[in-house]
Amino acid sequence: MMKKMAATAKDLPSDNSENVEEESSGAASVPVPMPDLALPASFDSDNPTHRYRYLDSSNQWLVRPVLETHGWDHDVGYEGINAERLFVVKNKIPISFSGQVTKDKKDANVQMEVVSSLKHGEGKATSLGFDMQTVGKDLAYTLRSETRFSNFRKNKAMAGLSVTHLGDSLSAGVKVEDKLIVNKRFRVVMTGGAMTSRSDVAYGGSLEAQLRDADYPLGRSLTTLGLSVMDWHGDLAIGCNIQSQVPIGRSTNMIGRANLNNRGAGQVSIRVNSSEQLQLALIGLIPLLKKLLGYSQQMQLGQ
């Protein structure tokens, strides 16, 4: 008898489960109000946040208002509109779109970006992007591409190309970067590139070597050496800088920095920071007091 009742119970339609599924799917498609925007300070007694409320629906387009933070009282307060969406082509190629249009009584500004990325092979990926934005009264169009690949476990390389059209000028640039991780403590980054526009070409490159503790950032010792070179119209600029961080005690660090270029200009600085020895902050009052004393002496001499 019990077996027959169990069999008939299995054959009955499960209304409760179907209702739960319908309610869950229906709740997911219901638009949800987004948090209110933080309005700027105003002399008005009311808080008209209801003007700027928008819904987050199941639509793949995310459209939001752009609030003008420095507007007038009793004004609408909208400066523009922002739209974003993420596409997936053939379930393999993601494409991200974002755009913003702002306008006031005089000018209108447009910003748009379309970015896509494609992975080909192990450790290799290529990204392609298109940008459009307002520069003055003209529109600047930029097409850029970048490829990253890792031939070895401790070596990562990157090559990029960009082309920009603004007004009646066309400029192009290329960049190559190689990052070598020798071990946990030492790594080197080398970068080189060139930029051309209207038959003018500029070249540049940089080298950065970093030596740090094996358990950084727990170990706070860090030393960085950088070298940069730029050549434009035969004018060669070379710069070198070094920075070292040495821990002093459990909560105190001493940071030294020095830089020098081929024109004889340079700078040397030493800084000490601490999270416990707050009395070190009193040292910063010495040059201030010295300046005040010198100012008072000048006032007395002037009288």
Side-chain angles (χ1 to χ4, degrees):
M1 188 66 179
M2 296 297 294
K3 292 181 179 180
K4 290 182 179 181
M5 293 178 63
T8 54
K10 289 181 180 180
D11 296 336
L12 292 175
S14 55
D15 295 337
N16 293 334
S17 60
E18 291 178 358
N19 291 335
V20 171
E21 292 178 358
E22 290 178 358
E23 290 177 359
S24 61
S25 61
S29 61
V30 173
V32 179
M34 297 298 292
D36 292 338
L37 298 176
L39 299 180
S42 173
F43 289 99
D44 287 347
S45 59
D46 58 345
N47 189 23
T49 56
H50 60 277
R51 296 181 181 177
Y52 316 102
R53 289 174 182 167
Y54 58 98
L55 300 177
D56 184 13
S57 62
S58 59
N59 192 353
Q60 295 183 357
W61 283 97
L62 178 59
V63 181
R64 295 172 293 179
V66 179
L67 182 65
E68 184 180 3
T69 57
H70 302 286
W72 295 90
D73 290 342
H74 306 288
D75 197 2
V76 175
Y78 281 120
E79 189 179 15
I81 188 171
N82 180 278
E84 297 178 4
R85 183 172 178 179
L86 179 63
F87 303 87
V88 179
V89 180
K90 296 182 179 180
N91 296 327
K92 292 182 180 180
I93 305 176
I95 300 177
S96 174
F97 170 84
S98 62
Q100 179 172 310
V101 179
T102 59
K103 189 181 186 308
D104 55 15
K105 293 182 179 180
K106 295 182 179 180
D107 301 323
N109 296 322
V110 178
Q111 294 180 355
M112 187 186 72
E113 182 183 24
V114 181
V115 182
S116 178
S117 180
L118 177 63
K119 186 176 181 181
H120 47 88
E122 184 66 24
K124 300 179 181 179
T126 299
S127 62
L128 181 66
F130 174 75
D131 300 337
M132 182 179 68
Q133 61 179 348
T134 303
V135 179
K137 295 183 179 180
D138 297 327
L139 285 175
Y141 306 91
T142 302
L143 182 64
R144 50 188 170 84
S145 177
E146 182 179 283
T147 300
R148 296 180 178 270
F149 51 91
S150 179
N151 295 331
F152 304 98
R153 183 178 179 183
K154 296 184 177 181
N155 181 260
K156 297 180 181 180
M158 184 272 291
L161 177 68
S162 67
V163 179
T164 302
H165 180 267
L166 175 61
D168 58 349
S169 65
L170 182 66
S171 60
V174 62
K175 177 183 177 181
V176 179
E177 179 180 311
D178 187 78
K179 183 177 181 180
L180 177 62
I181 303 175
V182 180
N183 50 38
K184 293 183 178 180
R185 300 191 59 191
F186 185 70
R187 60 185 61 193
V188 180
V189 179
M190 296 171 288
T191 306
M195 192 77 182
T196 178
S197 177
R198 293 180 178 178
S199 70
D200 289 338
V201 183
Y203 303 92
S206 65
L207 172 67
E208 181 178 314
Q210 189 178 89
L211 179 65
R212 59 186 184 180
D213 279 342
D215 56 348
Y216 185 86
L218 297 179
R220 293 170 293 163
S221 296
L222 176 65
T223 302
T224 303
L225 174 65
L227 177 66
S228 62
V229 180
M230 188 181 68
D231 183 10
W232 184 58
H233 284 293
D235 188 7
L236 185 64
I238 303 176
C240 179
N241 63 82
I242 183 172
Q243 178 174 323
S244 180
Q245 175 178 301
V246 180
I248 304 175
R250 297 181 56 183
S251 59
T252 305
N253 295 328
M254 183 176 67
I255 302 173
R257 179 181 175 87
N259 58 70
L260 181 67
N261 57 28
N262 60 337
R263 298 180 181 178
Q267 182 182 9
V268 177
S269 64
I270 298 177
R271 187 175 75 237
V272 178
N273 56 24
S274 175
S275 59
E276 292 184 358
Q277 304 295 331
L278 299 180
Q279 59 269 26
L280 292 177
L282 299 176
I283 301 177
L285 298 177
I286 296 177
L288 180 60
L289 295 175
K290 184 177 179 181
K291 185 66 177 179
L292 292 176
L293 291 175
Y295 182 73
S296 63
Q297 292 177 0
Q298 291 179 1
M299 292 291 292
Q300 292 177 359
L301 293 176
Q303 294 178 356

